Amino acid sequence: MLTDTAWFTEKSNGKVSINGKDIYRNLSPEIVIKLADNLSVSEILEWIENEIINAFKEKYSKSPEVGALNNAKGGWNEYIATSLLSEIIFDINTKTSKYIAIFPIPNSQFKIKGSNESYSNFLNLFAPEDFCNINNYLSKIKPFKEQIFMPSPDYIIIDLESSLYSKDVNLLLQEQMRDPDSFVVYNFFKGKLHIEDIKAAVSLKTSNRPDRRYQPLFEAAMIKAMGYVLKQNWKYYMVASDLSTADKTIFNSAIAPHGIALEENFHLVDATYLYARKADLLPLVIAAIEK
């Protein structure tokens, strides 16, 4: 177990924050063993949570705040999924000579004045020169690129079969398996991708509370609208550890907003997956990379 200063940080207002990344790194050897033993992700998250609660009670004689614990839990869920998805795609690449990659994207945020980057870290993936090339579809959104505000999808899946960077993919995936919170793959490909490299965006949640259900749907709407303008069939998938009847109905039925304007029933979400173990993620990857 790490020292108390590494697991928790006491703030000036008397509250205590949970250092989720440090905790995950410290517990990762045991997490790897539990994954190999085929424990479900929810079981592993519960184990991590209990470790934190016990350590917190030992130091502060009280339980941690539920909100702080839930925020950290969401991060741990994503780190586990990042490692598992990286393993799946690494295996596919090795066995098929494909050059697929998946990676999380940092949260979008306002940039320093004068920065050449967009608010959207999704748009920052693309080569800047493509926006200026009138023969590239990205030039169609250049006039309003700085007015595109959207959260970052949890993951992007790319196919680099004809890319200059295809040989780098497996090394990057291996590094991402070891350090799932590092954004190593995103940082490498930032500003280098072309629209045809993108295959899918993915939302990953432990569950979808009614008040938060529409955030990933907004992401999907933006991705689908841009894909339509750019003549790309980008897919959008929902992945959750728990899916309510309402989740399934909405995700499987929702129309893409630009479909209303065009009077066409474009599906907003391509598929929804219930996720408990590594094997549950394989159908998602297969669907995303289908030609």
Side-chain angles (χ1 to χ4, degrees):
M1 184 176 290
L2 290 181
T3 62
D4 293 332
T5 54
W7 279 48
F8 311 114
T9 299
E10 298 180 22
K11 298 181 178 180
S12 57
N13 61 4
K15 293 187 176 182
V16 180
S17 62
I18 297 172
N19 301 327
K21 289 184 180 181
D22 292 326
I23 291 168
Y24 187 87
R25 288 171 182 167
N26 180 238
L27 297 178
S28 60
E30 293 174 80
I31 293 170
V32 169
I33 293 172
K34 292 179 185 298
L35 287 169
D37 289 339
N38 204 33
L39 267 69
S40 70
V41 173
S42 60
E43 289 174 317
I44 295 172
L45 291 175
E46 183 178 358
W47 169 75
I48 299 174
E49 186 176 356
N50 287 333
E51 290 288 306
I52 302 316
I53 291 173
N54 291 336
F56 198 95
K57 284 181 176 179
E58 184 177 336
K59 181 171 177 61
Y60 300 106
S61 301
K62 62 179 181 179
S63 296
E65 293 186 2
V66 174
L69 198 55
N70 285 340
N71 286 338
K73 193 173 181 179
W76 301 327
N77 182 52
E78 186 168 321
Y79 301 153
I80 292 172
T82 299
S83 293
L84 295 178
L85 285 163
S86 299
E87 287 178 15
I88 290 170
I89 292 183
F90 178 85
D91 289 342
I92 291 174
N93 288 347
T94 302
K95 294 174 182 177
T96 64
S97 298
K98 289 184 177 293
Y99 299 99
I100 312 297
I102 188 168
F103 52 89
I105 302 184
N107 292 330
S108 294
Q109 58 186 355
F110 286 103
K111 308 302 179 185
I112 299 173
K113 189 175 182 179
S115 170
N116 293 324
E117 295 186 358
S118 300
Y119 170 87
S120 167
N121 277 327
F122 174 73
L123 290 178
N124 288 328
L125 283 169
F126 299 113
E129 59 270 21
D130 286 356
F131 289 97
C132 303
N133 182 354
I134 60 171
N135 295 316
N136 192 298
Y137 284 115
L138 272 175
S139 64
K140 291 180 176 291
I141 66 173
K142 183 186 177 184
F144 44 86
K145 185 177 72 164
E146 301 312 314
Q147 282 75 53
I148 296 177
F149 301 104
M150 57 179 285
S152 294
D154 290 313
Y155 295 99
I156 294 294
I157 298 176
I158 60 176
D159 184 346
L160 298 169
E161 185 175 356
S162 57
S163 170
L164 294 172
Y165 308 105
S166 56
K167 301 298 183 182
D168 299 295
V169 168
N170 281 348
L171 290 175
L172 290 166
L173 287 172
Q174 287 178 306
E175 188 171 347
Q176 185 170 255
M177 287 181 219
R178 294 190 298 269
D179 298 306
D181 63 319
S182 65
F183 295 113
V184 60
V185 183
Y186 173 84
N187 289 332
F188 181 86
F189 286 115
K190 180 180 176 182
K192 297 176 182 175
L193 296 181
H194 305 290
I195 55 175
E196 61 271 15
D197 297 328
I198 305 291
K199 297 304 171 188
V202 181
S203 167
L204 174 81
K205 300 290 183 286
T206 51
S207 61
N208 289 279
R209 290 201 331 243
D211 60 329
R212 292 190 176 182
R213 185 183 291 139
Y214 298 97
Q215 177 186 329
L217 289 176
F218 176 65
E219 292 172 13
M222 296 297 287
I223 293 288
K224 290 288 187 172
M226 286 189 286
Y228 180 83
V229 172
L230 301 174
K231 310 297 183 185
Q232 299 297 308
N233 185 27
W234 291 338
K235 299 171 184 175
Y236 193 94
Y237 299 109
M238 297 284 193
V239 180
S241 303
D242 181 57
L243 287 167
S244 67
T245 301
D247 291 335
K248 294 175 184 177
T249 300
I250 293 171
F251 296 157
N252 293 334
S253 307
I255 185 174
H258 69 282
I260 299 173
L262 296 168
E263 300 182 25
E264 294 191 46
N265 187 14
F266 294 134
H267 279 295
L268 186 56
V269 177
D270 290 276
T272 304
Y273 296 92
L274 192 61
Y275 156 58
R277 291 176 171 82
K278 178 180 176 179
D280 299 327
L281 297 172
L282 181 58
L284 157 69
V285 174
I286 297 300
I289 64 178
E290 281 181 340
K291 297 294 185 181

